[in-house]
């Protein structure tokens, strides 16, 4: 387990009316796997988690940070509570660095409620790493795939495209691959 770099922020007591609204809006199921985002595996995923106990009607803002060796937060998270009476919100606009995950947690239970929040982190940026210079064609490296999609033009001219990310120690290599009529071609940055 990686020890998180945590920064607690202000906590506020909610009014009884807001608590009643919170009961009506109690959050449903959390994302189940912090290492999967939109059906795609987070490459070389490492998790960071924290456990907090909130008192009755307590709201707390909290940020978790990915460590240096897996600096990028891809948006995958899970929240597991001891009671279903809660509200959990990700504050995407407050995530102002690539390694930050920001949440607001509200306990709407009459007593204490404990939550464990887990985020998925990667050494690979979620937006990939585009080449700043020429590319070169290589054989399929058979690394973990993401963003696989079928692309079609008029007249049923279709092909498959995807990205692959290979991680070897601290070296990360990104590939763009395509397959047309069972022939696979992959490209990576030259150099």
């Amino acid at each position: 387990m990686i020890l998180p770099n945590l920064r607690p922020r202000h906590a506020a007591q909610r009014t009884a009316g807001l608590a009643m609204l919170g009961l009506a809006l109690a959050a449903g199921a959390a994302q189940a796997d912090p290492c999967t985002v939109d059906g795609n595996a987070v490459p070389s995923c490492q998790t960071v988690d924290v456990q907090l106990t909130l008192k009755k009607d307590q709201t707390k803002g909290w940020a978790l940070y990915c460590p240096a060796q897996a600096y990028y937060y891809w948006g995958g998270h899970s929240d597991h509570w001891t009671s279903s009476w809660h509200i959990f919100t990700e504050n995407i606009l407050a995530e102002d660095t690539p390694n930050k995950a920001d949440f607001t947690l509200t306990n709407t239970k009459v007593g204490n409620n404990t939550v464990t929040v887990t985020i998925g982190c990667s050494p690979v940026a979620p937006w990939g790493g585009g080449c700043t210079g020429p590319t070169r064609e290589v054989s399929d490296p058979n690394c973990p795939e993401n963003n696989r999609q079928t692309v079609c033009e008029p007249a049923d001219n279709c092909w498959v495209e995807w990205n692959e990310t290979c991680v070897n120690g601290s070296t990360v290599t990104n590939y763009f691959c395509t397959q047309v009529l069972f022939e696979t071609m992959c490209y990576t940055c030259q150099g």
Side-chain angles (χ1 to χ4, degrees), residues 42 66-68 70-75 98-100 120-127:
V42 174
C66 293
Y71 186 75
Y72 299 99
Y73 170 58
W74 278 49
N99 69 328
K100 182 180 180 182
C121 302
S122 174
V124 179
W127 54 87

Side-chain angles (χ1 to χ4, degrees), residues 4-5 13 15 20 56 110 116 123 146 179:
N5 177 7
Q13 291 293 333
T15 63
M20 293 308 290
K56 144 179 119 158
V110 176
T116 301
N146 56 53
Q179 185 179 59

Side-chain angles (χ1 to χ4, degrees), residues 2 42-47 66-74 120-129 165-174:
I2 297 170
V42 174
S44 301
C45 186
Q46 297 180 28
T47 59
C66 293
Q69 69 269 23
Y71 186 75
Y72 299 99
Y73 170 58
W74 278 49
C121 302
S122 174
V124 179
W127 54 87
T165 303
C166 301
V167 179
N168 183 7
S170 63
T171 304
V172 177
T173 308
N174 293 309

Side-chain angles (χ1 to χ4, degrees), residues 94-158:
E95 294 171 352
D96 51 4
T97 61
N99 69 328
K100 182 180 180 182
D102 194 277
F103 305 101
T104 299
L105 313 160
T106 301
N107 175 22
T108 57
K109 182 182 172 190
V110 176
N112 289 352
N113 200 351
T114 300
V115 59
T116 301
V117 179
T118 305
I119 63 171
C121 302
S122 174
V124 179
W127 54 87
C131 296
T132 57
T135 60
R136 63 185 166 92
E137 184 176 342
V138 296
S139 60
D140 187 349
N142 294 310
C143 293
E145 296 180 9
N146 56 53
N147 301 322
R148 189 176 187 92
Q149 60 186 344
T150 300
V151 180
C152 294
E153 290 181 344
D156 295 328
N157 182 15
C158 298

Side-chain angles (χ1 to χ4, degrees), residues 24-83:
L25 298 175
Q31 289 187 11
D33 182 4
C35 290
T36 302
V37 178
D38 298 327
N40 294 308
V42 174
S44 301
C45 186
Q46 297 180 28
T47 59
V48 174
D49 59 28
V50 65
Q51 187 176 66
L52 304 166
T53 299
L54 280 74
K55 296 177 182 174
K56 144 179 119 158
D57 297 328
Q58 183 180 11
T59 295
K60 185 176 278 197
W62 205 270
L64 278 81
Y65 293 86
C66 293
Q69 69 269 23
Y71 186 75
Y72 299 99
Y73 170 58
W74 278 49
H77 63 271
S78 65
D79 60 299
H80 298 282
W81 297 75
T82 54
S83 169

